[in-house]
């Protein structure tokens, strides 16, 4: 499978010294743009939903499937760095499937407990939907001189047999620790990350129609 890391065009990342008001505005814009992206998904063959259904097993197995995962933002992350004005330097890793494959990661946002990433990852190949039963997200606090601190994880079950191109709603997923307990931030609220998944049955066919 080929995996590509892209910078999503949904919005700009939080900067190093983003104020609380700017972070809130960026998070709001990120969510709205992620939701708006749902409208860009088009059926396989025009507007006829019946024709859009992938009923030909042979064609589906030979097509180039694409799963796009959007890591939008996080909120209420715990503080791990030391100091009165310190926070955390979070980043997210992703693992496709439950077979222990390699992890892929977002960029690191410095000193922010409510970071906005707006990054996307694409997994492409034949039969990837059937092979990928879940996506595991883990959040870490980056450290310069010591091992990065584990902040929490969450797992999303995937659609292994989608019948048409579609995107899930933008959703918040709660983070849990190694014991399965909810992770809470400095403010006492449950830590969460916001993500979305898009399923494309035939990426090559979709690209050809957009081009023409």
């Amino acid at each position: 499978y080929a995996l590509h890391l892209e910078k999503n065009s949904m919005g700009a990342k939080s900067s190093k010294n983003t104020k609380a008001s700017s972070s809130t505005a960026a998070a709001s814009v990120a969510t709205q743009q992620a939701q708006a992206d749902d409208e860009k998904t088009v059926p396989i063959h025009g507007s006829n939903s019946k024709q859009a259904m992938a009923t030909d097993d042979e064609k589906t197995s030979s097509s180039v499937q694409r799963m796009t995962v959007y890591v939008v933002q996080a909120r209420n992350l715990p503080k791990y760095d030391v100091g009165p004005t310190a926070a955390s330097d979070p980043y997210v890793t992703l693992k496709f499937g439950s077979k222990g494959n390699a992890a892929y990661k977002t960029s690191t946002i410095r000193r922010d407990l409510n970071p906005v990433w707006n990054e996307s990852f694409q997994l492409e190949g034949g039969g990837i939907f059937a092979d990928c039963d879940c996506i595991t997200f883990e959040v870490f606090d980056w450290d310069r001189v010591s091992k990065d601190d584990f902040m929490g994880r969450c797992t999303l079950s995937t659609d292994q047999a989608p019948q048409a191109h579609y995107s899930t709603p933008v959703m918040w997923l709660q983070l849990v620790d190694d014991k399965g307990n909810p992770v809470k931030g400095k403010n006492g609220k449950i830590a969460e990350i916001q993500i979305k998944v898009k399923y494309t049955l035939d990426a090559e066919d979709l690209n050809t129609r957009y081009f023409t």
Side-chain angles (χ1 to χ4, degrees):
Y1 307 139
L3 186 77
H4 310 284
L5 170 62
E6 299 178 347
K7 298 296 181 182
N8 194 289
S9 60
M10 294 182 288
K13 295 181 183 178
S14 298
S15 62
K16 181 177 180 180
N17 297 311
T18 303
K19 295 181 180 179
S21 60
S22 298
S23 297
T24 302
S28 177
V29 170
T31 302
Q32 293 174 6
Q33 291 174 326
Q35 292 170 336
D37 187 65
D38 290 343
E39 301 177 359
K40 298 179 181 179
T41 301
V42 297
I44 299 177
H45 297 292
S47 59
N48 191 324
S49 60
K50 292 183 178 180
Q51 292 179 342
M53 301 296 287
T55 57
D56 189 336
D57 293 337
E58 182 177 354
K59 179 180 178 180
T60 301
S61 61
S62 62
S63 63
V64 177
Q65 299 174 340
R66 176 188 296 162
M67 185 185 301
T68 306
V69 181
Y70 300 86
V71 180
V72 184
Q73 59 183 321
R75 64 186 178 189
N76 309 322
L77 295 181
K79 172 184 173 181
Y80 274 86
D81 295 342
V82 179
T85 60
S88 292
D89 305 316
Y91 65 86
V92 182
T93 66
L94 294 81
K95 289 185 179 180
F96 290 88
S98 56
K99 299 179 181 180
N101 57 348
Y104 303 87
K105 65 185 291 293
T106 67
S107 58
T108 300
I109 305 297
R110 300 294 304 277
R111 292 190 287 275
D112 201 333
L113 300 181
N114 299 283
V116 177
W117 289 285
N118 281 336
E119 297 184 19
S120 64
F121 300 79
Q122 289 186 348
L123 183 67
E124 288 187 358
I128 63 171
F129 298 147
D131 291 342
C132 182
D133 58 346
C134 65
I135 305 171
T136 301
F137 303 86
E138 293 187 331
V139 184
F140 293 87
D141 170 48
W142 176 82
D143 285 315
R144 184 182 299 275
V145 296
S146 61
K147 182 179 179 181
D148 295 350
D149 298 308
F150 172 71
M151 302 179 75
R153 72 166 54 88
C154 56
T155 300
L156 176 70
S157 296
T158 57
D159 187 347
Q160 293 186 271
Q163 297 300 303
H165 302 318
Y166 80 95
S167 296
T168 67
V170 180
M171 65 188 83
W172 287 101
L173 303 179
Q174 294 185 358
L175 297 177
V176 298
D177 59 22
D178 286 327
K179 297 181 179 180
N181 299 317
V183 174
K184 293 186 178 180
K186 179 182 178 182
N187 57 7
K189 297 181 179 180
I190 294 178
E192 300 174 302
I193 63 171
Q194 189 181 58
I195 62 95
K196 185 182 78 170
V197 181
K198 179 185 287 186
Y199 299 90
T200 305
L201 296 185
D202 192 336
E204 290 184 339
D205 176 63
L206 193 64
N207 290 338
T208 300
R209 289 189 295 106
Y210 272 130
F211 178 75
T212 56

